[in-house]
Amino acid sequence: MKLSGLFKVSLVASALVLAGCGGDIKVTPTVNDSSVTNSNNTTTNPTTPTDPTTPVEPPVTVNPCTARTVAGNEVQGAFEAPHCVYGTDFAGKTLEIEEDITFAALADNGAHVFDGAIQMGKDCKTTSGCTVEANGPTLNIEAGATLAFKSGEAIVRIGRGAKINAIGTAQAPITFTSANVYSEFDIAETGAQFADWGGIIINGFGLTNQCTNAERAANTCNAEAEGIISHFGGKNNADSSGNIKFANIWYAGSGPREGGDGDDLNSLTLNGVGSGSTFDYLHVHQGFDDGIEFFGGAANIKHIVVTDTQDDAIDIDAGWQGNAQFIFVKHGTVTTKKAVTYFDEGEEKTIPAGSEGFMGNNGFETDGQKGKGDEYSEVPASNPIIANVTVVTTDGKSIRDNSSSQAAKFDDAIEGMYYNALFVKAQGDNGTDCIEFKKESAEEKAVAGKLMFNNSVLACVNNFKVGENFVSGGSKAEWFANSGSSLVLNSGEGVLAANGFATNTASTDVTIQANDLSGLDASFFEQVDHIGAVSDTDTSSEWYKWVQKSLAAIAN
């Protein structure tokens, strides 16, 4: 069946399907009908003959696909109405785009479809004699545009100095997705699923403790990106690599490749991206590794929905110093449509087609350090401020690595402050828990008051993995409660509204008040009156509707 009309579900219809949003994916999200008509797409010049013998000229079709110059020659996408199709002579793993380029919304639900990778700007390892271009090219993607990819090796890579400018609207979001959502490109007739394409990698000049102090001083910080190697890092945590707003990132990522653990691709990887970049109103769905992963930098994220992603929804590492507000995470299940192969501890493994399994390891996986010791001292451990989050876990073990669905894992001397968090685990028969301290260095930060929850609710039938007390002594529950500002309920009942995503503000079990966040940076954090990501009393807000719309798009 040919799929058309992403998010054609009306808000009324959306509300009817939300209750089933955590199940197997049976309705594939498709491209947005942005109702954009590009006058350059098709120009018809009708002839009105006055003489019946005058011939009628055929209509003239103008190719609406993007063109660029490669080695002195113009290369343009092929118009296969309504889509634009780009071969590896236009964009691929051996080509780097060094000029600004724009992809517009196409009429009739058309997509820009790519055989290979889009690599903006030159990748430069500065110790090899090259120089990073500080003012590199910009990838412009207009509201309502869809970019679809045919290959697991196809990525969008923004090099250091380059930028992405992808600004959609609530009514016309930008979509990055699998080409298999279209019957025209779904040769095996399987439909789209995780790992269909590689994801988005953005490399910035921000600080990361993957580089030594001496490397930064010598301008030789060249941290290597995971998955497909490129380089990032520098001295500037205020740097901008551009912005993405009102966008969907679906069916991306990869499992570990031959390089082993860490050699994988996320839906969105932010490598040393500075605070000059923001990522706002995103829906990340069914990635095979993490939803969004930070390696250092100070980029900010806001209004983020992550659903049914195999590994972690938000993964923090290598000294990230950013802010986050309004994050909704829901773990779910999937039935695979085709076999997926990956590597686990050097052994090739396959998930067969037709496998049923859980998606989701951690809502937040948080690591403070990559490099440790005096030579890395100029970049402290990750220390974000995170407010108004909801993580809805399952009680299953994930389909790829048999790991538990958890709300948060703390590791490697992580620091940070959480406000108005709501962690939910309604079932725990399989022994899955909500919070894990993986290493004692993270426990030490918690005991020292450098990793804390404020005005938050732990609504989980099983709370803490590996014991209720810290190794050094002291109750984890008392740590979370934080002198009564937060609450441990030992149950997931009643904290969510009937729609399954908004906080039930009428719950009599929640006896604490939200932090209004007036003490935080007002240039980023919005003042609130609710715990969790979404309030059930704010149904008219753009954020409420974004979550509702995102969940409706993946519902049964």
Side-chain angles (χ1 to χ4, degrees):
M1 178 179 68
K2 182 176 179 180
L3 301 176
S4 63
L6 166 63
F7 292 149
K8 277 190 173 179
V9 182
S10 69
L11 293 180
V12 174
S14 301
L16 296 177
V17 299
L18 288 176
C21 65
D24 294 348
I25 307 305
K26 296 180 180 177
V27 177
T28 302
T30 58
V31 297
N32 179 60
D33 179 6
S34 61
S35 298
V36 172
T37 300
N38 187 334
S39 62
N40 293 322
N41 287 355
T42 303
T43 302
T44 303
N45 299 316
T47 301
T48 307
T50 57
D51 184 337
T53 63
T54 302
V56 177
E57 296 183 5
V60 177
T61 300
V62 176
N63 186 343
C65 305
T66 300
R68 77 182 195 91
T69 301
V70 180
N73 299 311
E74 183 179 85
V75 179
Q76 186 175 21
F79 186 43
E80 300 177 11
H83 307 296
C84 288
V85 181
Y86 303 85
T88 53
D89 59 338
F90 181 96
K93 63 182 181 181
T94 62
L95 294 176
E96 293 180 310
I97 300 173
E98 298 182 61
E99 71 274 6
D100 293 354
I101 192 168
T102 298
F103 295 98
L106 298 174
D108 301 322
N109 303 311
H112 299 276
V113 182
F114 298 87
D115 289 333
I118 301 173
Q119 300 190 98
M120 297 301 298
K122 295 189 71 64
D123 180 52
C124 173
K125 185 176 182 180
T126 57
T127 54
S128 65
C130 61
T131 302
V132 177
E133 174 57 58
N135 296 303
T138 297
L139 172 62
N140 297 294
I141 306 172
E142 297 182 356
T146 293
L147 277 62
F149 300 87
K150 294 182 179 181
S151 165
E153 295 293 314
I155 59 172
V156 177
R157 191 218 72 198
I158 309 299
R160 280 187 289 191
K163 290 181 171 59
I164 184 170
N165 177 36
I167 309 297
T169 68
Q171 294 73 34
I174 291 164
T175 299
F176 302 88
T177 191
S178 163
N180 287 338
V181 302
Y182 302 98
S183 60
E184 300 96 310
F185 306 107
D186 185 14
I187 306 303
E189 298 183 343
T190 58
Q193 74 169 26
F194 56 83
D196 272 356
W197 66 288
I200 302 171
I201 299 171
I202 304 179
N203 297 327
F205 290 109
L207 303 174
T208 173
N209 51 39
Q210 290 160 273
C211 291
T212 65
N213 304 337
E215 286 171 330
R216 268 185 303 280
N219 293 318
T220 58
C221 175
N222 297 289
E224 291 188 352
E226 291 185 352
I228 296 175
I229 291 177
S230 55
H231 300 88
F232 68 95
K235 303 177 181 179
N236 184 10
N237 253 7
D239 179 50
S240 173
S241 297
N243 305 284
I244 304 177
K245 186 172 184 178
F246 286 114
N248 305 302
I249 307 172
W250 290 336
Y251 306 118
S254 74
R257 293 123 74 85
E258 291 189 62
D261 291 345
D263 186 25
D264 38 30
L265 293 168
N266 308 300
S267 295
L268 175 61
T269 304
L270 302 177
N271 291 321
V273 177
S275 60
S277 291
T278 57
F279 302 88
D280 198 6
Y281 286 100
L282 306 185
H283 177 207
V284 179
H285 176 62
Q286 213 180 109
F288 198 42
D289 199 58
D290 301 321
I292 302 175
E293 182 160 14
F294 296 91
F295 289 96
N300 299 315
I301 59 173
K302 203 170 192 178
H303 303 113
I304 307 295
V305 179
V306 183
T307 52
D308 297 351
T309 285
Q310 152 60 37
D311 198 0
D312 310 308
I314 308 295
D315 195 333
I316 298 165
D317 206 345
W320 181 50
Q321 307 294 325
N323 299 318
Q325 187 179 19
F326 305 124
I327 314 294
F328 178 81
V329 175
K330 184 174 178 62
H331 294 166
T333 58
V334 67
T335 299
T336 57
K337 300 174 181 177
K338 55 197 166 192
V340 176
T341 300
Y342 63 99
F343 285 80
D344 183 21
E345 297 181 351
E347 179 184 350
E348 185 175 280
K349 294 187 175 181
T350 298
I351 302 173
S355 300
E356 296 182 0
F358 291 93
M359 297 286 279
N361 289 347
N362 298 287
F364 291 83
E365 180 170 12
T366 62
D367 298 86
Q369 301 169 324
K370 282 288 191 185
K372 305 173 184 178
D374 291 344
E375 61 184 327
Y376 296 93
S377 62
E378 292 177 358
V379 180
S382 303
N383 187 16
I385 300 176
I386 299 172
N388 291 100
V389 302
T390 297
V391 180
V392 182
T393 69
T394 68
D395 190 32
K397 302 295 182 69
S398 60
I399 193 170
R400 188 181 87 191
D401 54 17
N402 201 39
S403 292
S404 298
S405 168
Q406 301 179 150
K409 180 193 289 185
F410 301 117
D411 198 359
D412 284 337
I414 183 67
E415 301 181 9
M417 292 291 162
Y418 292 76
Y419 295 85
N420 301 329
L422 174 61
F423 292 164
V424 182
K425 183 178 288 293
Q427 295 182 338
D429 295 339
N430 290 321
T432 61
D433 310 285
C434 258
I435 294 179
E436 176 185 3
F437 284 89
K438 188 174 180 181
K439 290 186 181 176
E440 194 171 342
S441 59
E443 291 191 5
E444 291 170 354
K445 296 291 187 177
V447 171
K450 294 183 178 181
L451 173 63
M452 299 295 293
F453 282 84
N454 305 275
N455 307 84
S456 297
V457 176
L458 190 61
C460 303
V461 293
N462 298 324
N463 294 320
F464 300 101
K465 188 173 182 177
V466 193
E468 296 295 313
N469 295 313
F470 293 117
V471 173
S472 61
S475 164
K476 294 176 184 176
E478 290 181 2
W479 158 78
F480 185 91
N482 191 9
S483 302
S485 83
S486 297
L487 184 65
V488 179
L489 288 180
N490 301 311
S491 171
E493 297 298 322
V495 295
L496 294 176
N499 60 26
F501 67 87
T503 301
N504 177 12
T505 56
S507 171
T508 57
D509 293 323
V510 178
T511 56
I512 60 169
Q513 298 297 312
N515 188 307
D516 68 5
L517 308 181
S518 60
L520 301 183
D521 181 1
S523 67
F524 177 82
F525 289 101
E526 298 177 25
Q527 292 192 26
V528 296
D529 60 1
H530 66 275
I531 294 167
V534 189
S535 171
D536 63 354
T537 64
D538 193 22
T539 58
S540 64
S541 72
E542 201 161 51
W543 167 229
Y544 185 101
K545 292 177 181 178
W546 181 255
V547 179
Q548 187 179 51
K549 198 174 188 180
S550 297
L551 296 178
I554 65 166
N556 289 331

